[in-house]
Amino acid sequence: ARLRYWAGIQMAMAVRACIPANGVDMRNIKNATDFMRLVESPCVADVENIVSSLVWVATYLSMVASECARHANLEALCAGMIEALVAALAQTAAAGEVVQAPCQVPP
């Protein structure tokens, strides 16, 4: 239940952070790439954290499928480990986005 609430909080934060600047005509945005060019790093980090949270849920469900089975479910265990890796990489990408702007070193 805790992850569900955390993902909900992250979605609310993303909605607030992902509002394009004033004067941007949303009708000119044709795809996700156009939209992402308009937003700042906090928005990207929020979206990556949402992806991470949802993948962590999938990880736990896969692990439950393996742990609660009568016999070890190797397919579920492997899926859970891969999902854990993807979730951790999404969190790492989000952290990179957050530190990108304040940690720039002048040439």
Side-chain angles (χ1 to χ4, degrees):
R2 182 173 173 249
L3 282 176
R4 183 183 68 212
Y5 295 123
W6 181 245
I9 290 169
Q10 289 173 330
M11 287 180 196
M13 290 170 55
V15 168
R16 292 183 68 172
C18 293
I19 298 172
N22 289 335
V24 173
D25 187 3
M26 295 296 286
R27 293 174 290 190
N28 291 333
I29 298 174
K30 305 291 187 234
N31 54 40
T33 305
D34 291 345
F35 177 76
M36 292 309 286
R37 285 190 191 123
L38 297 173
V39 297
E40 299 291 325
S41 287
C43 175
V44 176
D46 287 335
V47 171
E48 288 167 340
N49 275 322
I50 291 168
V51 169
S52 176
S53 291
L54 296 176
V55 176
W56 277 120
V57 170
T59 300
Y60 297 135
L61 292 175
S62 294
M63 294 299 186
V64 165
S66 178
E67 292 294 321
C68 295
R70 182 173 283 251
H71 301 288
N73 184 339
L74 293 180
E75 289 178 0
L77 185 61
C78 288
M81 299 310 274
I82 292 168
E83 290 159 351
L85 175 63
V86 171
L89 289 172
Q91 284 181 317
T92 303
E97 286 293 332
V98 169
V99 301
Q100 177 185 7
C103 296
Q104 289 181 356
V105 177

